[in-house]
Amino acid sequence: MDPAISEREWSRQYIDGEWTAASDGGTLAVENPSTREHLFDVPASTEADVEAAYEAAAAAQPEWEAASPGRRQRVVLDAMDALESSFDGTVGLLTAEGGSSTAKASIETENTVASLGEAATFPSRMKGEHADSNVPAKENIVERKPEGVVSVITPWNFPLVLTTRAVAPAIATGNAVVLKPASETPVTGGLLVAALFEAAGLPDGVLNVVTGRGSAIGDRMAGHPDADVVAFTGSTAVGREVAATAGRNLALPAMELGGNNAHIVAGDADVDDAVEAGAFGSFIHSGQICISINRHVVVDDVYDEYVEKLAGMAEHVPTGSAHDPETIVGPIVNESQRDSVLGFVEDTIDAGATLEAGGGVHDLDDVADSLVVEPTVLSGVTNDMPAACNEHFGPIAPVIRASDVDEAVEIANDTDYGLSGSVYAGDTGRGREIAKRVETGMIHVNDQPINEEPHMPFGGVGASGIGRFNADEVIHEFTQTKWMSVQHEQRDYGF
């Protein structure tokens, strides 16, 4: 792989092994959130482009399914090698296109390498089984086969890893893919992934990338009759519509949706440790993570100390342009999202909360309209206030007081969401007991919620989604079982 892959021209979508313009020549402008400068013009894909992508995927899939496990494994490993050889350039692209800090972009790229490595094991893990039959001289065989064509629709906050964790397993298990990345991050969420797999020798048509807006092509992506699985990562509101559209074609919806994750701090917790974890969980990548801390639920015994120390830490978190290597809190992805975050802060203060730190925009030199929101701490918050009952997706830390652990668990569970969460307690055994009572798909004791490991199942309950990514669970999402029986001796039917 040429290390300069990240510096290539990104003005074409990828369909059937060809880099092409949109069918009507339309383009979308992509902006750098830190500098507000123009970065790229990518194709504004149309429904005609989507049709071409699905036609290519449907035609290529049978031959790819027939490829040996070793062949499919080799392609995924070569894509991993291609990413590793262009690691620094990829970090730079994530910083420029999505406003990722250097630390976050590096972690995301490392996790993507790990995701590719895990996916490379899937071809040899598509195992069936034999079972005895109730019928004499009959053999039962269960095979695992690819679903066929997988639609993948991905978000802008962790564009590379959240795309790869769906695309790589789908390809590894013998499916073809049509991918639509978010309009804010069409390169790191889509075109870069196509370039990596092209360099790895993936056959034409197995992966296709269209870069149109969701408003223009999203419904066709979700409801295309050739789609057997629709894998979507994004907000619950949009995910409900995507799942409903997919369901009308009886396509399997694999949905990783929003979160309202609680960080419970018990009275016997080490407050300094809990605050450090809480600051990371709320402020990394400006809180633009589905598994970030949305609510800090702190037992009364340590509440005041926790608020004071968290506010002090917030005031010293490195904040500014994502192009500064020291930055932790960088820009919000766009103006609309920034204004939404600031609105949650203002509305929560109006509802009776107290602003302990932050609350405004951090100005940047030579940037007329900064997208950077200050790390913000709010005390006196209740569970029904706007910053607590909504997924605020910003660097906001609303701190809710609980009289005891029982009330803390009750507050944590008082939400439609159930994605992730965390518990801090002085004793890890007690922490585990508390964690068992929190209704989530994932939870972490004496840590914060932002954890993802490719060999561990990832997903939520309730309004946080359907199905799981990673580990064996994602193999099950992208494959189906087929029961075959073999009658080895003539069966007596009694006729």
Side-chain angles (χ1 to χ4, degrees):
M1 164 64 67
D2 182 353
I5 188 172
S6 57
E7 301 172 9
R8 65 183 292 164
E9 175 72 29
W10 297 113
S11 61
R12 297 289 186 267
Q13 60 190 343
Y14 188 68
I15 299 175
D16 202 14
E18 299 290 335
W19 297 91
T20 65
S23 60
D24 65 359
T27 61
L28 299 175
V30 180
E31 180 183 270
N32 182 319
S34 289
T35 65
R36 311 301 305 275
E37 295 174 343
H38 176 266
L39 281 176
F40 320 112
D41 287 309
V42 301
S45 307
T46 67
E47 287 197 359
D49 298 316
V50 172
E51 292 301 321
Y54 279 99
E55 182 179 348
Q61 191 274 329
E63 185 174 347
W64 181 241
E65 177 182 347
S68 70
R71 166 81 171 114
R72 285 185 269 126
Q73 181 183 59
R74 185 69 262 161
V75 165
V76 178
L77 287 173
D78 286 348
M80 183 182 74
D81 291 343
L83 177 58
E84 287 185 304
S85 71
S86 54
F87 191 99
D88 291 343
T90 299
V91 169
L93 272 175
L94 287 165
T95 298
E97 187 180 43
S100 298
S101 68
T102 300
K104 179 266 185 183
S106 298
I107 292 169
E108 180 173 358
T109 306
E110 289 169 357
N111 285 351
T112 305
V113 171
S115 291
L116 287 161
E118 176 73 2
T121 70
F122 291 168
S124 59
R125 287 162 62 181
M126 290 176 62
K127 300 181 185 297
E129 60 181 275
H130 284 71
D132 290 338
S133 173
N134 292 322
V135 178
K138 179 182 284 290
E139 178 185 15
N140 284 318
I141 304 164
V142 178
E143 296 179 333
R144 187 163 289 280
K145 310 289 286 184
E147 287 280 359
V149 176
V150 178
S151 299
V152 178
I153 305 171
T154 55
W156 46 261
N157 58 330
F158 274 72
L160 183 61
V161 72
L162 295 183
T163 292
T164 305
R165 74 169 185 185
V167 169
I171 289 172
T173 52
N175 299 281
V177 175
V178 179
L179 163 65
K180 194 203 87 64
S183 301
E184 292 85 355
T185 52
V187 174
T188 50
L191 300 176
L192 174 61
V193 176
L196 294 171
F197 275 100
E198 180 187 46
L202 184 69
D204 296 347
V206 176
L207 173 60
N208 306 273
V209 180
V210 289
T211 53
R213 293 194 184 280
S215 57
I217 64 172
D219 286 348
R220 192 58 178 160
M221 284 286 303
H224 199 282
D226 285 339
D228 300 291
V229 179
V230 178
F232 173 84
T233 302
S235 73
T236 297
V238 176
R240 290 183 192 277
E241 297 303 316
V242 171
T245 302
R248 283 191 284 272
N249 283 330
L250 302 182
L252 175 70
M255 305 278 121
E256 195 261 284
L257 307 177
N260 189 348
N261 312 299
H263 180 61
I264 295 175
V265 181
D268 63 341
D270 184 305
V271 175
D272 289 334
D273 289 350
V275 165
E276 184 177 1
F280 180 93
S282 273
F283 301 141
I284 192 73
H285 196 40
S286 303
Q288 300 176 111
I289 311 173
C290 58
I291 51 175
S292 65
I293 298 172
N294 207 82
R295 296 168 294 156
H296 299 244
V297 184
V298 183
V299 169
D300 184 70
D301 293 347
V302 293
Y303 183 88
D304 292 336
E305 181 184 1
Y306 186 91
V307 169
E308 180 182 358
K309 289 182 175 180
L310 183 62
M313 186 165 286
E315 291 172 350
H316 295 94
V317 173
T319 303
S321 169
H323 296 283
D324 181 344
E326 301 300 315
T327 290
I328 298 298
V329 174
I332 300 297
V333 71
N334 57 39
E335 289 180 17
S336 174
Q337 187 68 24
R338 176 202 61 191
D339 294 346
S340 174
V341 170
L342 293 173
F344 283 130
V345 174
E346 181 179 351
D347 291 346
T348 303
I349 294 171
D350 289 345
T354 299
L355 180 66
E356 300 284 352
V361 172
H362 179 91
D363 292 328
L364 297 176
D365 294 338
D366 302 322
V367 178
D369 191 16
S370 171
L371 297 178
V372 179
V373 174
E374 297 170 334
T376 298
V377 176
L378 299 166
S379 66
V381 178
T382 58
N383 220 30
D384 58 351
M385 290 183 181
C389 65
N390 295 286
E391 185 182 26
H392 53 247
F393 234 59
I396 310 172
V399 192
I400 302 172
R401 188 189 299 268
S403 59
D404 54 25
V405 164
D406 289 339
E407 186 182 21
V409 171
E410 183 179 345
I411 291 169
N413 287 338
D414 186 17
T415 176
D416 292 335
Y417 298 97
L419 186 56
S420 191
S422 50
V423 174
Y424 249 87
D427 176 78
T428 55
R430 182 164 179 262
R432 287 187 67 183
E433 290 304 313
I434 297 169
K436 289 177 182 178
R437 298 166 60 192
V438 181
E439 296 165 1
T440 61
M442 305 173 287
I443 194 160
H444 307 279
V445 176
N446 285 2
D447 197 358
Q448 45 71 50
I450 304 173
N451 288 278
E452 181 172 14
E453 299 184 38
H455 60 290
M456 301 304 296
F458 189 102
V461 299
S464 289
I466 304 169
R468 294 290 184 272
F469 289 93
N470 297 345
D472 286 342
E473 280 74 6
V474 79
I475 298 177
H476 296 161
E477 296 289 347
F478 294 151
T479 63
Q480 58 185 310
T481 55
K482 181 177 182 178
W483 173 32
M484 181 192 312
S485 73
V486 179
Q487 187 68 41
H488 289 285
E489 298 178 5
Q490 178 60 38
R491 182 173 176 177
D492 181 3
Y493 296 101
F495 290 153

